[in-house]
Amino acid sequence: PGAGIDSPRNSLVGFKRVKLAPGETKKVSMAVSKELMKTVMEDGSSVLVPGKYIFSAAAAAPCRRSSELGLECSQAIIEI
């Protein structure tokens, strides 16, 4: 998120298992609290770092291999 802050590129903040029949679609929603988005600083404090956060929803972690296998990924971008 913020410039000069070392944070993980990806972080799992929640998941929801959804069973679908072949060809079935379903709308799924999930709330993510600001507490889960905080970064632990060197002094041990937790800070919600201002910046751009990208939320992904997919059958697997978003990566090149997932794309090669044809797994779709939906994303939303939030600016804090």
Side-chain angles (χ1 to χ4, degrees):
I5 305 270
D6 224 5
S7 59
R9 180 168 161 74
N10 293 302
S11 179
L12 178 65
V13 295
F15 70 94
K16 188 178 282 190
R17 184 177 303 271
V18 180
K19 293 185 179 186
L20 299 173
E24 180 183 5
T25 62
K26 189 180 286 189
K27 184 175 182 174
V28 178
S29 63
M30 180 183 300
V32 177
S33 72
K34 289 181 181 179
E35 191 66 32
L36 291 173
M37 297 169 54
K38 289 184 176 180
T39 298
V40 178
M41 308 306 280
E42 286 184 11
D43 66 0
S45 63
S46 295
V47 177
L48 183 58
V49 179
K52 180 171 45 171
Y53 290 80
I54 302 172
F55 291 85
S56 302
C63 65
R64 189 180 74 225
R65 183 67 178 141
S66 296
S67 297
E68 291 170 357
L69 293 172
L71 299 175
E72 294 181 23
C73 178
S74 298
Q75 293 187 326
I77 300 173
I78 297 177
E79 189 85 29
I80 295 181

